[in-house]
Amino acid sequence: MAIDLVLDPPRGVAPVRFGMTLDEAVAAVSGWGQPKVIGPYAHMPSITVSIDLDRVGFQALLERDERVTAVELWWPGEGRVSTTRVLLDGNDVFTTPADEILERAAARGWTVDASNPARPFIPGVTLAFTRETSQEAPRDRHGLPTYFTSVLVGNENYK
């Protein structure tokens, strides 16, 4: 089953929206399968609702007041193919070159902070990307993976 996960900063990643309760987040992703609920623990009060979508990881993070504050998605890994796409403005975040994703974000008028090229982010929206992996992956001229390996979506005030 092909799934398109559309990044919708600063609102969430449908069907998960920021501000949802734990029960709402679990219900929202249950159509994809049985999610795992992790936490809270004494040493880590946050809660994570996690599900695998054809090797693409999806986590709804409930970090304050037991409400969704962010969604994190990660790449299935080098050489793995997935029918799940993670889309930002119609471009798949994990199969479109990272530099192209950032260029399109800047053209949209978003401020791109690439002071750490392995972890660029777009403040205020909030989108935070990772270009780190221990796997053998295609690399750009600076030695960074050509493609993003994860993306976090938060609201305008996410920290």
Side-chain angles (χ1 to χ4, degrees), residues 4 18 23 26 31-32 34-35 46 51 54 57 59 68-69 79 81 88 92 94 98 102 105 110 112 124 129 131 146:
D4 285 346
F18 302 134
D23 289 343
V26 168
W32 298 327
Q34 182 62 43
S46 62
I51 194 162
D54 189 27
Q59 289 187 335
V68 175
T69 55
V81 177
L88 178 63
D92 189 329
F94 299 137
L102 296 176
W110 288 343
V112 175
F129 301 94
R131 289 176 79 169
T146 303

Side-chain angles (χ1 to χ4, degrees), residues 27-39:
V29 301
S30 288
W32 298 327
Q34 182 62 43
K36 293 179 191 172
V37 176
I38 304 162

Side-chain angles (χ1 to χ4, degrees), residues 33-82:
Q34 182 62 43
K36 293 179 191 172
V37 176
I38 304 162
Y41 302 110
H43 68 282
M44 184 184 75
S46 62
I47 301 170
T48 302
V49 176
S50 181
I51 194 162
D52 181 290
L53 301 169
D54 189 27
R55 293 180 291 281
V56 170
F58 182 103
Q59 289 187 335
L61 308 173
L62 293 85
E63 300 163 302
R64 289 182 294 280
D65 303 322
E66 294 190 2
R67 299 220 173 244
V68 175
T69 55
V71 173
E72 186 169 19
L73 303 118
W74 63 93
W75 170 65
E78 183 57 30
R80 295 188 179 129
V81 177
S82 177

Side-chain angles (χ1 to χ4, degrees), residues 123-138:
V125 171
T126 293
L127 285 169
F129 301 94
T130 302
R131 289 176 79 169
E132 298 171 331
T133 182
S134 60
Q135 297 181 32
E136 289 300 316

